Amino acid sequence: MADEKTVLQYKGRPLMRKDNMIYYGSMADSHIVMLQILETKKVQGTDVATRVSVELQLTDPNARAKDRIVKKSEKDGFFTALDLGSVWLSRALSAKK
């Protein structure tokens, strides 16, 4: 079992989960990705995400919530959504340098 202090990472960036919301990236950066699990199905007794919303968001606390969303999509499957979010985040962070 993972330690409470261990931070799960994907491609060198942190993943944080709260219920059906997963945040990918660091709040210290200019952008993060928010993944929201919209639908699940049972596979061998385990819930598996079948529909996931992906949003690339600005981390600027002064921006309105509606203005923070840079890109938005919906994908079938968690890993498809996470891969898309990873590409969006990499491109957004490299464009800011």
Side-chain angles (χ1 to χ4, degrees):
M1 197 86 199
D3 185 352
E4 286 284 328
K5 303 211 186 248
T6 303
V7 176
L8 186 62
Q9 292 197 351
Y10 179 73
K11 294 187 178 181
R13 294 193 172 90
L15 278 167
M16 302 299 283
R17 180 177 181 172
K18 174 71 174 150
D19 299 323
N20 67 339
M21 305 286 276
I22 295 102
Y23 295 94
Y24 176 58
S26 172
M27 289 301 287
D29 293 333
S30 62
H31 293 78
I32 61 163
V33 171
M34 183 187 77
L35 302 147
Q36 181 178 14
I37 299 170
L38 303 173
E39 285 182 3
T40 61
K41 71 175 181 178
K42 290 272 188 194
V43 176
Q44 297 179 357
T46 303
D47 285 333
V48 175
T50 55
R51 222 177 80 208
V52 181
S53 170
V54 185
E55 290 182 4
L56 177 68
Q57 297 181 351
L58 292 169
T59 57
D60 181 8
N62 298 324
R64 293 185 317 175
K66 189 176 181 180
D67 294 337
R68 288 184 190 163
I69 300 171
V70 177
K71 290 184 180 184
K72 186 174 184 173
S73 183
E74 196 171 294
K75 294 294 175 192
D76 295 328
F78 179 75
F79 291 107
T80 306
L82 184 58
D83 280 342
L84 176 65
S86 175
V87 169
W88 283 354
L89 186 59
S90 293
R91 288 180 181 172
L93 294 177
S94 67
K96 294 291 177 185
K97 291 183 181 179

